[in-house]
Amino acid sequence: MYLNLDAQKNNTYDAIVIGSGISGGWAAKELTEKGLRTLVLERGRDVKHVTDYPTTMSAPWEMAHRGRLPLEIAERVPIQRKTGPAANEYSNHFFVKDDEHPYTQVKPFDWTRGYQVGGKSLMWARWVQRWNEDNFEENAREGIGVDWPIRYKDMAPWYSYVEKFIGVAGNKDGIKTLPDGEFLPPFELNCLEKHFQKTVAKYYNDRHFIISRTANLSKPSAIHTALGRSACQSRNWCSRGCPFGAYFSTQSSTLPAAVKTGKLTLLPFSIVHSIIYDDKKGKATGVRVIDANTLAMTEYYARIIFVNAGTLNSTAIMMNSVSHRFPNGLGNDSGALGHYLMDHNYRIRVSGVYEGRDFDDHYYFGRRPAGSYVPRFRNLGNDRQKDFVRGYAYACGAGRQGWERGSGNLEFGSEFKESMTRPGRWTFSMTGMGEMLPHIDNKIELDHDKKDKWGLPTLKIDCRWNENEDKMVLDAIEQAQEMMHRAGIKVTAAFDNHQAPGLAIHEMGTARMGRDPKTSVLNGFNQVHACKNVFVSDGACMASSACQNPSLTYMALTARAADYAVKEMKKQNL
């Protein structure tokens, strides 16, 4: 019997990154560009840029089912199809099949997943708003959760760094609660949105209506064209994969940058079982990986490990990484691992029809990949306005009804065909996007009695809205109706859709950052308190959720953590 030392040497890298989505792709880029031989492990299949976007140029009549999801697939994805892109024939192949990836909903939680190289960066909403100073301070000020170990000033340069690379179309609006960034030219509001903007400015001192800040290239710069990216064509078929590289994804941006270094090794179909912790060395030494096809187990080794598998999967890996030192999961001295699960509160829906006729001769060109946005205006600073804490924003949009609206009593003939050429009324919609507070009872656990087909314990997810979220919904519905009424928009629907947590696809918080190892898992550099060479910089690290779309913050945190990790390696601290 002998040890295969060559095999261990061949499986040893400077860094290992678990996951290849929005944050994992950034970890790969940053670590390879800093000279580290980096292994990226992805549990799903490979997806090549352009060539593996099978529907990206397909018109409805070119699809076998005209874009609708066939029944035999729909029956396999009852959770995934609750999201827009997963519910159609164009994008469903980027989402998991629920029957292959079971989990237990102790309370309803709709877990949306995309298991492939690039993860959900292929079909994300691309809205990128910075957090502001308040967002990092409110926990401490209000005694909720734990104090963030960082502040806006720590993040500002990293927001700028990320924005320049990914390409963000937006306008410098000068709003304190939504800091400006490094922007490409913005997309344009349409005529009804400009009218709504004027109305908001007229009636409110505390509110703003702006074009959304979105990671689509309105006008590429040299950093983008060098990677083969080109301008957005305003098709708004982003969730199919963009052959122009016009929106930010792992495939179009961070992965090509990492490949250029010659330092990247990418292994698809590699499901991480656990992180290996060496009790004698007092650090993690590698990861155990299951081949998704053969079920063979392989160990890979590295000096540092970045865990970026997505909030719940990253946490599950850490919980499954037990050792003599960590019997309850890697880094779980505090008992916080798996707790304080959050999602954004997207239950608010308000829509209406513009009653004026002054825009009847107006239309717009193309399918703008951006929406419009009302930043948070409730409970800012020390100004507590309502019987709930924190606040909400609105994702908005205006457009004209098309031929799909129907033709009234016209059933056939020239009159019917003529009616199909005329656009309908102008409509306006607002979706409230509220902050969810961290609660210890919102949690995940490993279910060792129910294994998946790879032999890993499945998850039990126990999460619900609390009173603060419910009160926020009522206020958001009321304020949306008030603003629309003042803009001459007749509200036709205003309701709480009562959707379960999860459908915002912004799960966060189950391995949170904090100042005190007794109440948190990670420090201010996304480093596991008790295992210094492991970093977690996806949504699991979040100590609160704010109400902004979180992906920009994940990317900035990852770039910052990678910079710190490499500096610590050079100092021989890792």
Side-chain angles (χ1 to χ4, degrees):
M1 188 175 212
Y2 63 92
L3 293 174
N4 189 345
L5 297 179
D6 286 338
Q8 181 167 339
K9 180 179 178 181
N10 292 337
N11 287 354
T12 299
Y13 298 82
D14 298 318
I16 292 174
V17 177
I18 303 172
S20 63
I22 278 177
S23 64
W26 264 95
K29 170 190 176 296
E30 294 301 297
L31 295 171
T32 55
E33 287 183 341
K34 295 178 188 301
L36 273 61
R37 291 178 58 252
T38 302
L39 173 66
V40 174
L41 299 167
E42 169 54 54
R43 68 174 295 151
R45 64 189 176 97
D46 194 8
V47 173
K48 300 292 187 186
H49 187 42
V50 183
T51 57
D52 286 340
Y53 307 153
T55 64
T56 190
M57 293 293 186
S58 301
W61 55 86
E62 296 174 309
M63 301 295 293
H65 304 91
R66 302 301 185 263
R68 295 191 177 187
L69 204 60
L71 183 61
E72 62 268 23
I73 295 179
E75 289 176 340
R76 297 182 61 194
V77 290
I79 297 169
Q80 307 305 307
R81 74 184 186 198
K82 292 181 182 181
T83 70
N88 62 55
E89 193 178 16
Y90 302 110
S91 307
N92 184 260
H93 51 278
F94 287 141
F95 294 81
V96 304
K97 300 296 182 285
D98 291 319
D99 57 352
E100 295 177 354
H101 301 277
Y103 68 99
T104 300
Q105 301 183 58
V106 179
K107 296 185 182 70
F109 188 95
D110 295 308
W111 187 13
T112 304
R113 290 166 283 174
Y115 290 164
Q116 64 263 322
V117 171
K120 294 193 291 292
S121 78
L122 286 167
M123 59 281 192
W124 66 308
R126 309 169 313 285
W127 282 34
V128 280
Q129 304 104 2
R130 293 187 180 200
W131 279 32
N132 62 51
E133 293 178 3
D134 269 353
N135 297 136
F136 291 101
E137 296 172 0
E138 285 174 316
N139 275 7
R141 186 165 62 231
E142 298 168 354
I144 291 173
V146 295
D147 184 16
W148 276 89
I150 57 176
R151 292 294 186 259
Y152 178 75
K153 63 181 176 59
D154 300 307
M155 292 294 292
W158 295 103
Y159 278 138
S160 292
Y161 178 73
V162 167
E163 288 162 343
K164 289 175 183 176
F165 181 81
I166 68 176
V168 177
N171 189 57
K172 289 188 181 292
D173 300 293
I175 302 170
K176 182 180 179 182
T177 56
L178 194 71
D180 290 330
E182 310 294 335
F183 297 145
L184 303 174
F187 291 94
E188 187 178 2
L189 297 172
N190 62 42
C191 58
L192 182 54
E193 289 170 327
K194 289 178 180 177
H195 165 72
F196 192 84
Q197 185 181 55
K198 291 178 182 177
T199 301
V200 170
K202 176 181 178 181
Y203 286 100
Y204 303 97
N205 294 322
D206 62 339
R207 305 184 194 187
H208 305 271
F209 182 79
I210 62 174
I211 191 72
S212 69
R213 298 164 182 182
T214 181
N216 288 72
L217 299 182
S218 56
K219 185 179 180 181
S221 63
I223 196 172
H224 308 125
T225 56
L227 293 172
R229 302 179 65 192
S230 57
C232 178
Q233 305 297 301
S234 290
R235 305 185 312 153
N236 201 24
W237 287 356
C238 307
S239 61
R240 306 179 186 194
C242 181
F244 309 99
Y247 73 77
F248 170 82
S249 68
T250 296
Q251 271 78 0
S252 70
S253 305
T254 48
L255 192 58
V259 168
K260 276 189 172 186
T261 67
K263 300 286 187 180
L264 177 72
T265 300
L266 174 65
L267 287 185
F269 297 115
S270 299
I271 301 174
V272 174
H273 173 280
S274 54
I275 296 168
I276 304 166
Y277 183 82
D278 189 311
D279 286 309
K280 292 181 179 178
K281 294 181 179 179
K283 64 179 181 179
T285 56
V287 296
R288 302 179 186 92
V289 175
I290 301 170
D291 185 295
N293 298 313
T294 68
L295 304 186
M297 180 87 80
T298 305
E299 293 184 354
Y300 297 93
Y301 307 94
R303 285 179 63 187
I304 60 171
I305 298 167
F306 269 68
V307 187
N308 298 89
T311 296
L312 301 186
N313 282 320
S314 289
T315 306
I317 290 168
M318 295 178 72
M319 296 173 83
N320 203 45
S321 302
V322 295
S323 61
H324 177 74
R325 169 65 181 84
F326 296 114
N328 299 314
L330 182 72
N332 193 25
D333 292 347
S334 65
L337 188 66
H339 292 273
Y340 307 103
L341 175 60
M342 298 170 284
D343 186 34
H344 279 144
N345 184 358
Y346 280 21
R347 290 157 46 189
I348 304 100
R349 299 286 191 275
V350 182
S351 58
V353 177
Y354 181 57
E355 294 188 294
R357 309 300 304 202
D358 43 323
F359 301 136
D360 281 1
D361 61 345
H362 289 57
Y363 206 70
Y364 42 85
F365 177 78
R367 301 184 183 95
R368 186 186 71 194
S372 43
Y373 188 68
V374 178
R376 175 182 160 188
F377 54 89
R378 281 290 187 236
N379 300 328
L380 299 171
N382 292 313
D383 181 18
R384 177 76 176 271
Q385 300 159 310
K386 288 291 176 178
D387 59 349
F388 56 86
V389 298
R390 312 296 168 90
Y392 52 84
Y394 294 103
C396 310
R400 291 200 78 167
Q401 295 172 324
W403 61 268
E404 298 95 335
R405 70 190 185 279
S407 57
N409 295 322
L410 304 174
E411 296 181 1
F412 56 86
S414 60
E415 206 175 347
F416 171 78
K417 288 193 290 183
E418 175 62 23
S419 75
M420 295 294 96
T421 69
R422 295 192 298 268
R425 301 294 299 275
W426 281 94
T427 62
F428 192 86
S429 65
M430 303 180 75
T431 297
M433 305 188 294
E435 179 164 355
M436 184 180 191
L437 299 179
H439 282 273
I440 192 170
D441 293 334
N442 286 338
K443 63 184 179 180
I444 65 171
E445 296 177 293
L446 296 183
D447 189 343
H448 293 280
D449 296 325
K450 185 185 293 185
K451 303 288 182 68
D452 63 21
K453 65 181 182 180
W454 299 281
L456 289 169
T458 59
L459 282 186
K460 292 192 291 186
I461 305 179
D462 188 351
C463 185
R464 66 179 178 86
W465 305 117
N466 282 280
E467 183 181 18
N468 198 71
E469 288 84 50
D470 293 338
K471 290 181 177 179
M472 192 181 293
V473 166
L474 297 176
D475 187 63
I477 292 174
E478 178 184 326
Q479 294 306 307
Q481 291 183 88
E482 179 183 290
M483 286 185 278
M484 289 171 66
H485 173 73
R486 285 177 165 167
I489 298 167
K490 181 181 179 181
V491 174
T492 56
F495 58 92
D496 174 356
N497 67 10
H498 297 288
Q499 70 185 34
L503 278 181
I505 322 180
H506 292 167
E507 56 269 18
M508 296 176 254
T510 43
R512 68 185 183 183
M513 297 170 73
R515 299 180 185 276
D516 187 349
K518 294 180 181 179
T519 57
S520 60
V521 179
L522 311 171
N523 68 12
F525 288 100
N526 298 82
Q527 186 178 33
V528 175
H529 285 300
C531 186
K532 299 296 185 182
N533 66 330
V534 175
F535 296 79
V536 184
S537 59
D538 59 15
C541 76
M542 305 294 275
S544 62
S545 69
C547 65
Q548 297 94 312
N549 296 59
S551 295
L552 179 67
T553 297
Y554 301 165
M555 291 187 270
L557 285 167
T558 302
R560 180 174 177 268
D563 181 72
Y564 175 80
V566 173
K567 288 176 179 176
E568 288 295 289
M569 287 180 71
K570 291 179 178 178
K571 295 175 184 177
Q572 299 298 314
N573 292 333
L574 296 178

